Amino acid sequence: MGKRIIGIDLGTTNSLAAVWENGESRLIPNAFGEYLTPSVVSVDDDGTIYVGKAAKERLISYPEKTASVFKRHMGTNKEYFLGKKRYMPEELSAFVLKKLKEDAERYLGEEVEEAIISVPAYFNDMARNATKRAGRLAGLKVERIINEPSAAALAGQKQNPEEDAVVMVFDFGGGTLDVSLVECFDNVIEILAVSGDNQLGGEDFDNMIARYFILRNHLEAEKLSAETFAVIKKSAEKCKRDLTDHKSAEMVVNCAEISAKTEISRKDVTEFCLELFDRMRKPVFRVLMDAKVSADSINNIILVGGSCKMPVVQQYLKHILKRKDIETREPDRMIALGCGVCAGIKERNEDVKDMLLTDICPFSLGVGIANLKYPEVESGLMSFIIPRNSSLPISKEEVYVNAFDNQEILHMNIYQGEAMYTKDNILLGQMQAEIPPKPAGQVACKMRFTYDINGVLEVNMHIPLTGEQKQLVIVNNQLGMTEDDIRKKLEEYEKLKLNPAESDENRYVLEWGERLYMQCSGEFRDEILQRILYFDHVMSQDLYQIPKVRKYLTVFFAYVEKIMETYVNIDSSIFEDEDWYDDEEDEETDREFKGWNEEDDE
Ligand code: ADP
Ligand code: MG
């Protein structure tokens, strides 16, 4: 066969590889005969690099030489110091990919040249490109990056190919939560919308359990050594897994520094992790709203990711979506299996070739325009050309005009993000063109954005009056926020807080509006934008009007909030009732029957 293509689920916590073989997607076992390889890298004094299970053990023995959870920082400048050397997140990911490549080559008995790697739908361009670079560093060609929910849906579709359905993919892994709505019909899989929280995962439950344990045993967190802390975290994770099989579990920590134990129940977890459940809920409703699908028209819910094994998570989902039936088969393998299907499609295997996979753009793309109405607000406004959740590939054009009389140069800055001010979004590129002097509004400029399924953005600028045409292709963009930019921004925000004219209440209303702006897409956005801009203006110019305008905004935002809820079709007052957990309903899980933890339970 020659060059093989494998599919890789490069997870925050664990990574898996799969390949298309004999008409089906198969997981590739590692040297231990297991499918899950921990995404952990450790360096020895003599420069040896460990990846996977061995490295995971070293998290405790050599925490300062071991790195984990680096996927969260892909595409940033975060540096990891392991021993004497410095590594970027993409270099650490490359070690994991290289390991999976070697395991696959041993298993297949042939060389693996190419990989299709899945990433959270929420990854921005920088994180996607960092993932591609990681593949190259590992000696793999990476032409195709696939969104994790697309992969899970592909795997789910293979299991029930005859069904036409709207499916919700709820992917709750170690470090990220992704919620997506996918439509499956004939052989087409189309993503309708995605949402998520890239800072929420199983690790947060570990941290909460660890914190609860520290609290209950009256320990002082600051005084514990890094080693002891690592031991506590490991026991916390074990306790969490025990709670998947039993209604309560004992967390025991025995090490040089401390010896303590605490009994923890599922009910306790629902209480001290309330904040995490609350954060889980948000993307679920946002995705329904974006796709304009009501909760009761979902045909099927696919659970993905290790954290979905937790009965409390399953019960919470059933509660907020008001359903009894949720499919819980092999949550931590779905993405890898889907990546394997995708590899089969790319290898042009006969048995999968007529499966069509469309993708969506998980963020909005647009250009900055002048804030003419309120020039005292020192930032351009975002004008969206490709809205979040558009199907890919897509090509869209918008027409802009010169903002000022006799303007000589037209600057067009290209941004990615959902914020209404361009300063809060990521700058992807800049274009400019000379224009003839004319009154404002008389020189048109056509901006065409073409975004393909591999994440390449092509921008075409056309000035009909002069006939000038320019093109910019944004592939490997290294621009965007550096750590330094972020620090500067934080300093700016500090200053903002000192501004006495801004009462907490005004701030709150503005934040509320901005959140709604980010959550809504389409029709509402402009209405919300106009009101926020007006309020911003009133706050700096017309102090007497502030209370009146604020009251008016409060009423309007409450109205928008209400409309958002009707899409979701659920009475939000039920969430204020913290007592959703029903101990009676939660059976002890029968390990054999569920069959998902043969090998990942050490
Ligand atoms: P990722 O995609 O982020 O690598 P996974 O899908 O592998 O994550 O899920 C890893 C998370 O799932 C970890 O936080 C782990 O503790 C949790 N997990 C795995 N198995 C179980 C289980 N049986 N019960 C509860 N949590 C589990
Ligand atoms: Mg995952």
Side-chain angles (χ1 to χ4, degrees):
M1 191 178 281
K3 341 169 200 173
R4 292 304 301 267
I5 306 178
I6 57 171
I8 294 177
D9 168 10
L10 184 60
T12 313
T13 321
N14 295 296
S15 296
L16 299 84
V19 68
W20 188 263
E21 250 185 353
N22 303 326
E24 63 172 5
S25 181
R26 287 219 179 138
L27 295 177
I28 298 174
N30 61 22
F32 300 94
E34 295 167 353
Y35 296 130
L36 275 70
T37 297
S39 307
V40 184
V41 174
S42 186
V43 181
D44 211 349
D45 280 336
D46 64 7
T48 312
I49 288 173
Y50 300 90
V51 175
K53 225 173 164 176
K56 191 175 173 185
E57 289 304 317
R58 290 170 59 91
L59 265 178
I60 293 188
S61 38
Y62 300 97
E64 69 291 344
K65 289 177 191 157
T66 309
S68 64
V69 210
F70 35 84
K71 180 176 175 179
R72 281 193 181 185
H73 301 286
M74 284 294 268
T76 71
N77 291 336
K78 183 173 163 79
E79 292 174 328
Y80 290 81
F81 291 88
L82 305 189
K84 294 181 198 73
K85 277 196 75 179
R86 200 179 62 192
Y87 300 91
M88 298 277 292
E90 60 207 71
E91 289 178 272
L92 298 170
S93 298
F95 292 132
V96 176
L97 291 173
K98 195 152 188 277
K99 183 87 178 164
L100 295 172
K101 176 179 188 271
E102 285 169 10
D103 285 338
E105 287 175 341
R106 203 195 48 248
Y107 173 77
L108 295 168
E110 54 189 328
E111 204 179 323
V112 172
E113 276 214 340
E114 184 174 343
I116 288 164
I117 304 176
S118 59
V119 297
Y122 246 59
F123 261 23
N124 63 19
D125 270 3
M126 285 180 284
R128 282 164 199 263
N129 288 319
T131 305
K132 288 184 186 172
R133 286 197 297 274
R136 275 209 298 281
L137 288 170
L140 286 162
K141 187 162 86 183
V142 184
E143 286 181 351
R144 185 94 162 77
I145 293 277
I146 179 177
N147 284 325
E148 288 168 4
S150 313
L154 256 185
Q157 166 80 348
K158 271 312 255 187
Q159 286 173 357
N160 295 312
E162 69 284 357
E163 282 170 29
D164 285 3
V166 173
V167 175
M168 176 178 277
V169 179
F170 185 87
D171 177 358
F172 202 15
T176 51
L177 169 64
D178 274 279
V179 187
S180 326
L181 273 185
V182 182
E183 194 169 15
C184 306
F185 54 98
D186 295 333
N187 267 344
V188 179
I189 292 183
E190 185 170 298
I191 300 210
L192 301 176
V194 300
S195 185
D197 185 333
N198 62 0
Q199 300 290 328
L200 181 67
E203 289 258 335
D204 295 291
F205 282 95
D206 303 348
N207 288 332
M208 288 297 216
I209 293 172
R211 198 155 83 180
Y212 181 74
F213 178 87
I214 288 171
L215 217 78
R216 286 287 297 271
N217 287 290
H218 310 291
L219 303 169
E220 281 176 83
E222 318 79 59
K223 290 193 181 152
L224 298 173
S225 67
E227 284 82 3
T228 303
F229 209 78
V231 174
I232 294 179
K233 262 200 76 177
K234 195 176 159 99
S235 312
E237 205 229 343
K238 181 171 181 305
C239 173
K240 179 182 74 176
R241 284 168 181 260
D242 289 345
L243 284 170
T244 292
D245 302 316
H246 309 285
K247 284 187 182 174
S248 81
E250 187 163 71
M251 176 168 163
V252 186
V253 174
N254 271 316
C255 63
E257 227 174 322
I258 56 168
S259 176
K261 62 182 174 187
T262 300
E263 182 77 21
I264 300 177
S265 71
R266 284 184 194 164
K267 177 87 179 151
D268 293 333
V269 174
T270 66
E271 282 160 11
F272 64 74
C273 296
L274 202 68
E275 176 213 326
L276 303 183
F277 289 103
D278 201 49
R279 285 169 63 194
M280 260 168 60
R281 192 184 80 230
K282 289 178 180 145
V284 171
F285 291 164
R286 182 161 141 172
V287 87
L288 288 169
M289 206 188 62
D290 272 5
K292 300 198 171 39
V293 165
S294 70
D296 46 15
S297 43
I298 302 171
N299 300 97
N300 191 6
I301 297 171
I302 300 181
L303 293 190
V304 177
S307 301
C308 279
K309 293 176 183 175
M310 294 171 70
V312 288
V313 168
Q314 295 178 6
Q315 196 174 122
Y316 186 69
L317 260 186
K318 285 181 190 165
H319 165 71
I320 60 172
L321 292 170
K322 296 191 166 162
R323 23 205 328 148
K324 296 218 164 337
D325 56 318
I326 291 189
E327 170 71 70
T328 57
R329 209 173 350 164
E330 306 195 305
D332 48 12
R333 300 178 183 187
M334 295 298 272
I335 291 172
L337 287 170
C339 290
V341 176
C342 210
I345 294 173
K346 189 125 200 279
E347 278 181 338
R348 300 195 186 285
N349 273 292
E350 284 301 307
D351 34 351
V352 275
K353 75 166 185 282
D354 54 358
M355 280 258 249
L356 186 69
L357 180 68
T358 67
D359 218 331
I360 57 124
C361 170
F363 31 70
S364 303
L365 294 162
V367 296
I369 54 172
N371 189 356
L372 291 176
K373 214 157 158 191
Y374 309 109
E376 73 280 358
V377 179
E378 284 174 5
S379 169
L381 293 176
M382 187 76 179
S383 167
F384 297 103
I385 296 183
I386 297 182
R388 174 177 90 214
N389 285 327
S390 304
S391 298
L392 299 183
I394 186 171
S395 185
K396 281 189 87 173
E397 190 174 81
E398 286 288 334
V399 181
Y400 298 91
V401 292
N402 54 334
F404 308 102
D405 293 342
N406 300 320
Q407 193 174 334
E408 288 174 359
I409 297 180
L410 204 58
H411 292 273
M412 282 296 183
N413 291 348
I414 296 129
Y415 293 92
Q416 166 187 315
E418 311 306 318
M420 59 180 207
Y421 290 121
T422 51
K423 68 178 166 57
D424 300 323
N425 289 326
I426 297 174
L427 178 67
L428 296 179
Q430 296 176 292
M431 293 174 94
Q432 60 185 56
E434 282 180 25
I435 51 170
K438 293 265 179 194
Q442 303 228 330
V443 185
C445 167
K446 293 183 175 175
M447 295 295 289
R448 174 167 289 280
F449 276 32
T450 307
Y451 196 65
D452 78 4
I453 199 156
N454 293 315
V456 177
L457 174 65
E458 190 185 298
V459 182
N460 287 286
M461 183 179 191
H462 175 41
I463 315 272
L465 203 60
T466 61
E468 184 167 7
Q469 302 223 23
K470 287 193 168 176
Q471 190 190 56
L472 181 69
V473 178
I474 300 169
V475 196
N476 260 329
N477 108 79
Q478 314 287 354
L479 290 166
M481 268 200 175
T482 62
E483 286 289 314
D484 224 44
D485 292 339
I486 293 170
R487 217 168 303 127
K488 275 193 204 127
K489 266 211 162 90
L490 287 176
E491 275 165 21
E492 274 171 38
Y493 292 157
E494 277 304 307
K495 277 186 220 132
L496 277 181
K497 260 189 228 146
L498 298 176
N499 188 345
E502 232 167 47
S503 77
D504 283 352
E505 220 173 326
N506 296 343
R507 190 73 258 156
Y508 164 72
V509 171
L510 277 177
E511 295 294 340
W512 185 12
E514 286 203 29
R515 169 175 65 75
L516 289 174
Y517 178 89
M518 288 177 146
Q519 284 181 340
C520 291
S521 64
E523 315 95 277
F524 281 127
R525 266 199 165 159
D526 196 54
E527 298 217 14
I528 296 170
L529 172 69
Q530 293 312 326
R531 283 165 175 86
I532 297 177
L533 287 178
Y534 181 60
F535 193 44
D536 256 351
H537 163 77
V538 167
M539 282 194 344
S540 58
Q541 309 281 312
D542 203 352
L543 302 184
Y544 293 109
Q545 293 284 338
I546 291 179
K548 201 173 104 194
V549 176
R550 189 177 59 220
K551 182 144 183 251
Y552 162 70
L553 284 193
T554 308
V555 172
F556 177 72
F557 291 159
Y559 164 74
V560 174
E561 201 94 66
K562 195 103 222 129
I563 292 190
M564 282 163 48
E565 272 159 26
T566 51
Y567 277 128
V568 164
N569 208 3
I570 273 174
D571 174 10
S572 75
S573 63
I574 59 171
F575 306 121
E576 283 147 26
D577 155 28
E578 295 177 2
D579 210 23
W580 52 269
Y581 177 74
D582 179 1
D583 204 37
E584 292 302 301
E585 194 185 301
D586 240 1
E587 290 301 316
E588 299 263 333
T589 315
D590 179 348
R591 279 162 169 266
E592 292 310 312
F593 175 68
K594 294 260 174 170
W596 24 247
N597 35 19
E598 314 98 294
E599 74 271 290
D600 58 289
D601 209 71
E602 57 268 57

